[in-house]
Structure formats: structure tokens, C-alpha cells
Amino acid sequence: GYSFVAASVRLLDGHQKLNYMQLKLKNVRKVLLVAKPSDRKVPEKARDLVSFLIRNDLHVFIEQPLLDEPDFNLENLKASDDRYKTNLSTYDKGCIEQYAREIDLVVTLGGDGTVLYTSALFQEHVPPVLSVFMGSLGFLTNVHLPEFPSIMTKILQGEGMRVTLRRRLHCSFYPDACCKIKQHKHVAKPTRSGVVLVNGNGGGEVSDDDEGPECSPGKKVLQREVMNELVLDRGPHAGLLMLDLYADGLHLTTIQADGLIIATATGSTAYSLSSGGSLVHPDKASMLITPICAHTLTCRPMILPFTIELKIRVSEGSRISAWASFDGRDTTELKPNDAIRVTASRYPFLSLCRVNPTEDWCRSLISTLHWNEREKQLPFS
Amino acid sequence: GYSFVAASVRLLDGHQKLNYMQLKLKNVRKVLLVAKPSDRKVPEKARDLVSFLIRNDLHVFIEQPLLDEPDFNLENLKASDDRYKTNLSTYDKGCIEQYAREIDLVVTLGGDGTVLYTSALFQEHVPPVLSVFMGSLGFLTNVHLPEFPSIMTKILQGEGMRVTLRRRLHCSFYPDACCKIKQHKHVAKPTRSGVVLVNGNGGGEVSDDDEGPECSPGKKVLQREVMNELVLDRGPHAGLLMLDLYADGLHLTTIQADGLIIATATGSTAYSLSSGGSLVHPDKASMLITPICAHTLTCRPMILPFTIELKIRVSEGSRISAWASFDGRDTTELKPNDAIRVTASRYPFLSLCRVNPTEDWCRSLISTLHWNEREKQLPFS
Amino acid sequence: GYSFVAASVRLLDGHQKLNYMQLKLKNVRKVLLVAKPSDRKVPEKARDLVSFLIRNDLHVFIEQPLLDEPDFNLENLKASDDRYKTNLSTYDKGCIEQYAREIDLVVTLGGDGTVLYTSALFQEHVPPVLSVFMGSLGFLTNVHLPEFPSIMTKILQGEGMRVTLRRRLHCSFYPDACCKIKQHKHVAKPTRSGVVLVNGNGGGEVSDDDEGPECSPGKKVLQREVMNELVLDRGPHAGLLMLDLYADGLHLTTIQADGLIIATATGSTAYSLSSGGSLVHPDKASMLITPICAHTLTCRPMILPFTIELKIRVSEGSRISAWASFDGRDTTELKPNDAIRVTASRYPFLSLCRVNPTEDWCRSLISTLHWNEREKQLPFS
Amino acid sequence: GYSFVAASVRLLDGHQKLNYMQLKLKNVRKVLLVAKPSDRKVPEKARDLVSFLIRNDLHVFIEQPLLDEPDFNLENLKASDDRYKTNLSTYDKGCIEQYAREIDLVVTLGGDGTVLYTSALFQEHVPPVLSVFMGSLGFLTNVHLPEFPSIMTKILQGEGMRVTLRRRLHCSFYPDACCKIKQHKHVAKPTRSGVVLVNGNGGGEVSDDDEGPECSPGKKVLQREVMNELVLDRGPHAGLLMLDLYADGLHLTTIQADGLIIATATGSTAYSLSSGGSLVHPDKASMLITPICAHTLTCRPMILPFTIELKIRVSEGSRISAWASFDGRDTTELKPNDAIRVTASRYPFLSLCRVNPTEDWCRSLISTLHWNEREKQLPFS
């Protein structure tokens, strides 16, 4: 369990000031470690990390493939301490949603990809996440491996940790939205308590079982929560992609481009930035619409309120399909008239900070983008 | 007086969904007309507009210079209807703040400049504003003059009008912020009721009498609410301008550029756009940091939470002064070590919509920027 | 046959001033018409155009599929005038290079795609080209169909026509450039006389049978002349593309991006512009290197001398292949270590102007890009 | 005296391939040192540099202020070696043009500003320039001070040095171009032999005493050769600047912007880059037109042939003046209807290379702009 603590009076003001929010984790018992053995150094480092957790009497969950790595050396661990036999379990990622609420903390070990994988894993409720990196700092990782023991100790002692509240976007695919996109009815519904209550005052989130276009009942097939972005592009096809863009039922424009990125604030440092989007503070609730190589000079990146309901439909006259991908996964073809609906997710992603959201973010910008660096030159006047 | 009406359940969700907010004006009696006689056609058109208002038994306030225009033809009006003698007054813009709360509605006649002038006029509370244009549609004007009578009639009949809630930024000048910028204490205070309560749940706005850097008590001299942007640039000087940027007391970066724009969402279609900033929906509470011709390739436009406290200080080592202007007015020199503090204003600007915030905005984008337009070409395959 | 005439003394200065060059066509007898029947209106309009040419005793060559179109109505034409039996021939595009030098003039009917198709058709010598459009003006078309008879009459009367000398790029594919790219030896060779002599002073063009990397003799397989651009992108694959860039044997940089565009000045208004490239006067001999969504903020569009020898190699460590396309055609996979070499083509493309290169270009920019257009707004001061 | 040597056959091909040109300096006797004593370390380092030259029996010219610096310690030098009395002279920068052709070599010591100052000094013929830097590499400097003796020794031994041929632009101010800009007559004239013969085949350069608009004879007052750029901006004034742009007498467009940059390829890494211009190889003869914060989204950076005659006139309807500056110097007000004419200069600037133009340029890009650098991140797949 965990609870929010007001670090300052600013917290009271509303969710926009959550950057000063602190999260106090109580009775941390179950920790899930996400680490992909793709990097040769991961098994050995994961072993150190697991050892630290086990020594602190925590119950640790990891994926089977990691356990099987020679460098993880499970037998040796078991021989050294009986707690490895009782407190170390594997988990089945297929049914992780079922016990997501029982996990007290997720620790990721690796780069930004590992954190995105974690977001994909938890499509509904996400436990608080501590992101540890080994090599270089990323946008989504902030704790260097050597710092892990001292930070984890603070957490176990119940110290409040600042968090970056990363809003995710809920994407649902509507095949064959053949007739006109209809103005949507927004009905407030009671939602579950807990972190999902972004606004803190009950209800009102856009329901993700709202119906789509009237003519295609029950046709919604794919749903995904994205932390960085939804991308629609031409995939393997050359040719001109045309996408109709609707905001709250209003036809904004039809975009002719190589593709379109619908990004969160968190995703503003990823693909959207490469396509000319602005940097957006990760604590901001924003929906970035960034075209990829638009065919008109006037089609600029745009930022919409996070609460808007966005629909992107492959134009009836588009000569090619669009290919959607969700944080780089689950690539799906959209034929002309197919649509994707994007709304605020009710399941945000809480990243524990190293310092605070603003300072962590700036450190990432400088380290990863060489943000605003320049060699000093000799002055001349 | 006026009151907000929930147009849909979305309104209940929190202030981010105010785009569906409706404003119902009750007992409209006092209307203030802002029109600058710079355009030759203004006096005649203003006369028509005033006539309509007087015929509807409203009390109208205008500036003296407009009354004096030959084309306004005041004597002729007075002769035609006695109500021009009793219900038409001039106002002194110097003390307009005093009776701002008594004005039920402001009508502007002219272009975007007239609306910005209105924002400058009302540095604290702003009555709801209806913006009428004569020639071409702007970003801040939305009602074409011929539409005015029917829309005004709807307002007088008490119909709910959708509004764009344009957040303003509060800028205060701190000369000689000689010592270090200190982390700021944020103390919630009760605020007055009314439109200023952006979050709807009491208190918490950043107080604009928070103190600045400790070493310069009582030195704050100039304060301005901006609706578009604060610009800091090199003014008449050639040479390299260096600006230190602080967010909530944290040194973000030092920018070497021709200048820096701190814009609102409303200002995202103005100077910020020319400098590479994104288009931001005018209903969004955002603070855009857009550098003008930065000297590093990695210095990109950035968007911060609206609630952040931003300080921009002319670097101690800057060889030249910066020149600040507030919505293009009140140009002020900032010497090295002088600073400007920017926070969310507690006095937003309510624009009555023609349709709704999103539709009005898209119409402006298309009409004014030729947004995303392209000639259709013959296909070839 | 045709000859160049100095319109002004500027011609004497060197090829950079060819924008004032005039081309005088002598004894025009054989005209090749390129028109794709994809647009419904093409056959009928092509028929009108052919009629005009036949009536002027010219020999006309067209592709068989156009002849077969019902709207072309060949039988009817033959019945009306015997010259259709003797002076109208079809051509086999497979062996068009053989009689390219016998064609006095190419007329294209359609959009920019038809002109690019013509460039693809003539991989070596290109006869002078007159580009006729039906619907809207493009970047590569400049004569509106109703203007065609008067302009064609001028040509037949031997009037000098200004031309835009569109330089093309010669691309050759080197599979498995496994070892290091070697500094290239540039050997001047005598070239054929005629339009191909870009520099006018003999020899010196980079030979297109220069060898590639030493370790792969005889491996060059695909060669293409492009008028707009060579594009290297990720094709159907997600993932990070890495491309090593060499100029005259020097490793410039390794680019991580969605793709890379190597464009001519002519291509500067096409894909390169969508990716942030500058507009370049079509008469300029330039090689534009424009990254598509580069992963670093500092990777800007770059312009190199046209005479440089550029090599782009898929990095050994690139996790995915690159896909090359040449003016949007002939998509080819490049595996890691495969390379493409780009040099100045010895076969430029001569477009007959409507007025002159600069005026034709500006007209296209304004019509097609809405270049620098803005609604006039009411002034306010 | 000096002569060009063909380093490879590419030289023969025409001036576009001058990047492989070598310059062999013969009988170097007179060396002019440009160094501004603004940096504290300059006098001492200049002293070392002068010592090296004097010891090699060269005649050295420097400015008086440098001689007067205590750290230069002239008396001490004179005492050590009699050659300081005979071979060290001061020069008067006011009449430097008179003996520019007698100087065999210019050595600059300092940053890019010192090189620009050198360009300003030599408004007509410029001797070959060797640019030495002390601290960090710039765009215009390439030889690190410790490398100077060995490179200077090579020069004195008559080794061929590669050179970057930096084309300059000739700017002339036409006050009150009240009537219409006329199509210009271009008359070829014989020019002096030597480096000025860019094309190598005589004549044809745009004469810089061509007349301007017919109605203002003899009114041309200010003329400047710029190596980086001509800038036209709003200077101290707020408000909308309007500039009419003419290319070879054709009205291209009217630009509404904060300003306009007309840059050379050399200047493409300076102000033009900050405003969104492309990087252009410094050996390319190009004229870059880069708007500063244009008020239309479609106004993109543009590149014109170097040989074009460009005229920029402050529009008759512009509410404010423009302020011109030439490589950051000689700021001049242009009232509405005043114009500046820009043509290719007949006096290029020859920079001796460290390696060759391409390699020197890339090294500057990487060192000064952090061009295309990115921290390697841990891969994740």
C-alpha cells in the first residue's frame, strides 16, 4: 500500500501541481523486477539487485528467462541464503494484470525500452516504478545502479518520494468506421479509487467503453495504453497517406504526410521531438499532435488539451493503408475508413523521482540531448 | 452579473474541461465598447454598434476620442433619441480598474490589437469580452460585424454562451536581483470568488505579492498581466544576449539567443509561432518558452506547467541589456542581474465564443495561417 | 537539332549563369508525347495535343496504351487526316535510349509525376522537354494546356526559349561494400559533345564507371539518374537506421534517423522540403542532404557542392536494412554494409520555360505552396 | 606572389571543383598580423608568433595598439634581435587597401571575430589568410597556435596549401529608390587578373558600378563586402517590418518578418543557422535568403544562385525602418523605399586550410555545434 503526502500546500491546488506531490510507500513487501537479459551485463547486475532486495526480506518477482541465465547463478544464491527459495518467484506476464494491485513496487533495470516494456505490461493499474539504469541516463530512467541501495533504503524506511505522474493515452482501434464520425456523448461514471483518480474529485473520466461510430457496434478490437506515443505511418508502402483528424467530433483537418504522432508529454522527448515537436514537461497533461514530414508548409505541431477525444481516420480517398504502432509495439494495419480513438487513460504511470520531476527532466535533457550546450568561444569585441 | 452553467457533464470533471463551459450573462446593463479610431471605418461602424446597444436600453461606456470623431456624429444621435444623453458615458482608462466589476460586458471592435489593448486596460478583473471584427478574422476576434446583432440578442435573452478561458501570465520586474535567486515559498491564500477561481476548489493560486529575491525587498516596480506573451530581446543593441532561466528556483539553463518569448496558449499563434513554437489550444493552461534564434542547435521550444514560477534573469556576464515588452507594450530595459518573474495570473480573460473554443480556433488557423491548405494536384500513378 | 543562343552576355560567364540561356530548336520533326491515361481526361486532351502536332506536319511518338484508349479515338482521327497513318508511331519504352538523340522534343501532359516518369524513361540523353499541365500548376510543369498551341508555334518558328537546366544525380548501388570505403581517384575523361557538357569546357565529369570500393570489383548492379531525390529509409521495418556518410572519401558523420534524402535543387520543393530542407533555385547545381526525423537535435539539413562524390553506407551495426528509392521508383533493399554512390549526372534534364527559370519557379512556389501568403489584417496602432 | 597548382585533375573541371585547389605561396616576404588585444593572452601569444616570423627573416606588419601592450614587450624584443628594428612595422588600417597587393600573407590570431575584422579591413583584394586560434576552434579559424610553426614552415618552403575559397557578397546601399526597381542590364567587363577571376575564363562578373534604379543617379553611398552576411532587422523598433525582394529585377515576394539575412555559404553556420537555414559547404557559391521569425508559416529559407542580382527594398508601406548591418558592423538605417543591392563580390577571401575545405569544415561543425552528437544509450530489443 502507499499514500500521497502533501509536501507543500501546492498539492492542494489541484492535479496540475502534483510535481510537488510526494508518495510514501507503506509496508513494501512485494517487488517486481523488470529486466531484459538482452544486454550481457544485465543478469549479473540483476543478481546484485535481487540480492539486496532479498536481504531486506522482500518478496521478489522476476521473469523466468532471467532466472535461467548462467550469470544470474540461481543455484549459488539459493545455497547462500534460504530466503531465495521462499521469497523469489517468477511471474507470468500474460496474467500480470490480475495481481498488479498486490505489487507494492516495480523496479526496472535497463534503458528507456525496459520502462516502455513495463508500461506495456501493465495495461491497467501500474504500481509505482523505480527506474534504474546501468550505462547512460535516459529520459525514463533516473537512478544510477550504484545509487540503488541508498534510494531503496529510503523507500523501505517510509520516506516520501517525489513522483512524476506520467499520463498515458488510451488508444482504441475501430475497424471500418464507414459512416460519419458522430459527435460523442460524454458520460461521467464513478471510477475506482486510488491513483487512477487523476482529478481527485471523482468520476468524469472519459469512459473507455464509450461507443465509437454508431454504424460499427461491437467492432472495437484493439486497445492500448501508450506512455510515449501512438504513431500512424505509411509502413512498407510508398505513396501519399491521408488522415482525417477529429477533436471532440469536430473535423480539425485532413493531414497529408508520411505519418502522424500522437504523443504524451513524456513522449515529447522521443519521436515527436525528431519531427519538430516541442519539449513538454513530463508532468503536464498534454496531447501532442506532431506530423511527420507533412506535405504542406503550414501544418505545424499542435498541442491539445489532454481531455479531448481525438479520432484519426484513414481518409476514404487515401491510396495506402496506415500502420499504427503503440510505443513501438503491436503494429496494426488501418485500411481507409479505419480509425483510432485516443483519450486520456485512467491509468497513469508513476515514476519515482531521483530529485523531483523538473530536476530529473532537465538532467535528462542535458545528458541525452546535449540540450543547449555550446563550446565557449574566445570573445572578440 | 453572470454565472457558469454546465453545458455537459464534462464540466464537472475539473477545469481542464472548461472548453464545454457555458457562461450565462444575467441582467446585462452596462456595456463598455473598446474601439480605436485609427481605422477610418471604425467611427461609423462603432456608431452602428452603439446605436444597437442604446436601442436595447443598455448603458454604454466609450472613450472620449471616439465620441469626438466626426463620423461618429454624436449630436445627430442625441437629436434622434434621448437615451443617448443619459445612457452613453465616457470612461477614464486611468481608473478603469475601479469599476471593472460593474461592467457586465466588454465589446471590442477592431482587430487582434484592440483585444490586446483591452487586456492591457484590465490588469485585474476582466469582464467577459465579445470581440467583433470588421475586415478579416483574427486569432482573438471571432464575431463578424454583421453577426453582432443576432449574437448580442442571444446574450441579452440570457442564452448560455461558450467561452474560451484565456489564461494570462503575471509578470513582475525585479531590478538588480543581485544575489542568488532563492527557492520560493508557495503559500496558499484564500482568493476572491468569481471567475478568478480557475480550479474551482478554492485557494492555492500563486500569490502575486510573494516576495522576490531576498536581497531586494520592496524593489519590485513594474507588474503586467500578459495575454499573448512577454518578450525579452536585444532591443537596439547588437551582441550576444544571455539569459538565466529558473523554474521553481531551479536553474534550467542559460540561453544565448536574440531573445526569448514566454507565451500563453493564446500567444502560441503569435510571435512564438514565428519562432518555431507549437500551436497550443487556447483553452490550455500552458507556459511556452520559445527562444528567438538561439545560438545552439539543441535549444528547442519548451512547454512548462502553467503553475510553475519562472524567473528570467539577464546573466551577470551578458554584454548587453535585455528589453522586455508585455503584449508589445511598456518596453523596459533589463540590465545584467535584473530579472522578471512570471507566474499564472489570477485574472483570466474570458472570450465569448462564436461556436466553441475548438471550432473558433480552427477557423482562425485556417483563415489566418492558411493552416494545412494545399492545392489539389492531379494524381499520377 | 537545337543550339544554344546567348540571350545576354551573362551566358558567357560560365554555367552558373545559364538561367539566362536560350535554347533554339531547329528543324523540329520528331516529337515524343508522354501522357499516362490514369486521369480520365488525359486521352481526350492528349488527342487534341496530338492533333495540333500532326496538323503541323510533325512526327509524333506515343505509348501504345494511350492509342488504345476509347477517348483517344484513333480510328476517327485516321479517317479525318491521312497523316495520322504515316506520322503517328508508338514507341517501346524498353529501348527508348537508342533513339533518344533522334527525338527533337518531348512534350509531357499531366502532373509532376509524368515529368518524373519522363526522367526515368531517359536514363542517359534527354531531349528538351516541354511540360504541359491540365489542372493545377506543379513544380515541374509550367505550361497550361490552353497555352500550348501558341508556345508550340513559337518553338516551331525557331524562337529561342529559356530553359531550366535541371541537374540530375547519378546513383549506383554497391552491394556488400564490406571493407573500408577508399578515397576515390578522379580521372578526367573526354565526354561527348552536346548538352551533356555542363561545364562547357570539356571533360572532367566524374566518370560513372569509376570503380567503387576495391574489394568488390564488378559488383555494381543498379544505376539510376534521379531528378528529384534518392531516398533511403526504413521501409517496412521499425527500429533505428544508421547510415555512414562519406564525402570524397571523408567520413562526414553517421546519421541515426528515419531516413535520408539526397536531393537535387529541383527536388528541394519535394520530399526534402517536407523534412525541413531549404528551397533551392532549380538552376543551381546542388546536392542537398536532408535527414528525415534525425535522432539528434544538431543534425541539420546540409548542402554540398554538386561535384562531390557522396557515398552512403548502411552502417555495419545498423539493426535494420535501408530501402532506397529513386524518384519514388525501383525500391531496393540495402543490407548493412551495402552502399550507394551519388555523383553529378552527365545527363541533365532541360525544361523549356514558360517565361524564365526564376519567374517560373516563383509562380510554382506561390501556386503550389501558398508561399509566403497571408491574409491582410486590419492594422491597429 | 603566389600561384595556383593543380593538385588533381579535378581542378581542370571548372571553378566548382576548387575544393581540391592548392595554393603555392612564392617568396613570402611581407606578413601582416591581425590580432586584437581584447583578450588578455593575445599580446603575449602575438609576441611568440611575431618572434617566429622575424626569426625567419620576414617583414611583419602589425597595428600600433598591439605594439604598445606591456605584455608584447617590444623593447625587450628589440634588445634581443636587431631585426625587430628593421623588419617590424605598424600599418594604418585606413589606407590598407593601397598596399593590400604587396602583402604576401595575412595571419590572424584570435577567434572568428578577428577573421571577420580582417575581411572588413580588406574591402577589395585580400591576401591569402592563415587563421590561428588560441582557445577553441571556430568556423573561420582552423590552425591551433601550437601547430603554427610547423604549418608556417611548410608555407615558407613553398609547399602547396589547400584553400577554402570563401566568396563574399558585395552590398551597396541605395537611398530613396523611390520609383520602380528596373530590370538590370548586365554588361561584361574585363576584370583584373589574379584571384578575383573566379571563373577563370575572363570577364562577365556583375560590375559593381552598375547603376541602380534610374531615378536616383549617383546616390549610392555605402558599399561593403561581407563574408558572413548582410542582416536587415527592426533595430530598436517594435512593429512590422516589410521588405520587398527582387531577384534579377523580378519581384520575388514581400516578406513580413523580424528581419532578413542574406548570407554566404561561409555565413551558413552563423546567424542564418540560428534562423533555420541549412548548412552549406563553405566552398559553394551560394546566396542564402533566411528570414528571421517570418510572419507566415510558408516563408522558408531559400538558396539562390550566387550570380543573381538581389535587391531588398524597405516596402513603401512598412511602418518602421530597417537596420542593415554588414558582418555585424556599420549599422545603417534604411527608411521605407531605401534599398540594398547584393551581388557576387569580385574579391573572394582565401583561407588556407589545415587539411582541406571539407575536412576543416566538418571538424568545425563537430567541435562548435556538437554536430550530430549523441550519447550512446543501452540498446533494448
Side-chain angles (χ1 to χ4, degrees), chain C residues 10 82 98 112 171 225 296 300 315 320 353:
Chain C
R10 292 188 83 184
D82 275 351
Q98 293 170 16
D112 286 357
C171 308
E225 313 293 311
T296 55
R300 281 286 196 89
S315 304
I320 58 173
C353 291

Side-chain angles (χ1 to χ4, degrees), chain A residues 16-257:
Chain A
Q16 278 201 321
K17 288 166 185 167
L18 283 177
N19 49 329
Y20 288 86
M21 180 175 73
Q22 280 194 326
L23 186 69
K24 191 172 282 189
L25 296 173
K26 292 175 189 159
N27 297 322
V28 175
R29 299 203 163 276
K30 297 182 178 173
V31 177
L32 188 141
L33 174 69
V34 181
K36 306 295 291 179
S38 55
D39 186 300
R40 278 178 311 137
K41 288 174 297 180
V42 164
E44 187 198 333
K45 301 299 184 189
R47 186 180 191 270
D48 296 347
L49 217 145
V50 168
S51 299
F52 180 87
L53 298 171
I54 292 288
R55 281 199 309 275
N56 281 276
D57 284 322
L58 297 165
H59 196 109
V60 181
F61 296 81
I62 62 176
E63 284 191 50
Q64 186 68 45
L66 188 59
L67 273 193
D68 299 340
E69 286 286 324
D71 286 354
F72 193 82
N73 210 339
L74 179 60
E75 291 315 306
N76 180 283
L77 285 173
K78 279 183 178 166
S80 72
D81 188 332
D82 275 352
R83 287 175 290 188
Y84 286 98
K85 295 169 191 160
T86 52
N87 291 358
L88 182 59
S89 316
T90 58
Y91 65 90
D92 175 6
K93 63 181 178 177
C95 54
I96 202 162
E97 298 286 6
Q98 292 170 16
Y99 44 100
R101 288 186 184 279
E102 290 172 35
I103 301 292
D104 299 306
L105 178 69
V106 173
V107 176
T108 70
L109 177 66
D112 286 356
T114 307
V115 184
L116 286 176
Y117 171 79
T118 306
S119 169
L121 215 52
F122 294 94
Q123 285 287 301
E124 300 196 356
H125 172 81
V126 196
V129 176
L130 184 71
S131 302
V132 181
F133 64 94
M134 298 177 296
S136 25
L137 180 63
F139 290 112
L140 303 175
T141 60
N142 47 18
V143 173
H144 198 192
L145 185 54
E147 299 172 311
F148 173 73
S150 66
I151 287 178
M152 193 65 211
T153 302
K154 276 174 58 183
I155 292 172
L156 294 175
Q157 288 168 350
E159 275 190 41
M161 300 289 292
R162 298 197 195 281
V163 292
T164 300
L165 182 71
R166 302 188 184 277
R167 276 80 166 190
R168 301 195 291 180
L169 290 167
H170 178 77
C171 307
S172 41
F173 173 45
Y174 289 76
D176 196 13
C178 55
C179 56
K180 69 182 190 307
I181 300 273
K182 282 199 45 178
Q183 180 92 23
H184 214 73
K185 293 190 207 75
H186 301 281
V187 187
K189 308 193 325 172
T191 53
R192 275 163 280 177
S193 62
V195 187
V196 301
L197 278 180
V198 178
N199 291 335
N201 53 1
E205 251 130 60
V206 174
S207 157
D208 44 10
D209 43 47
D210 277 354
E211 303 127 279
E214 210 148 79
C215 62
S216 55
K219 280 212 168 181
K220 195 171 53 170
V221 286
L222 183 74
Q223 299 194 25
R224 282 293 176 276
E225 313 293 311
V226 298
M227 188 155 77
N228 263 355
E229 75 277 289
L230 159 71
V231 177
L232 286 160
D233 64 22
R234 302 179 302 168
H237 302 302
L240 189 61
L241 181 62
M242 290 173 65
L243 300 170
D244 304 326
L245 213 59
Y246 294 84
D248 283 341
L250 174 74
H251 179 232
L252 286 182
T253 189
T254 293
I255 287 181
Q256 300 184 9

Side-chain angles (χ1 to χ4, degrees), chain B residues 30-41:
Chain B
K30 299 182 177 174
V31 176
L32 187 140
L33 175 69
V34 181
K36 306 295 291 177
S38 56
D39 186 300
R40 279 177 310 137
K41 289 174 297 182

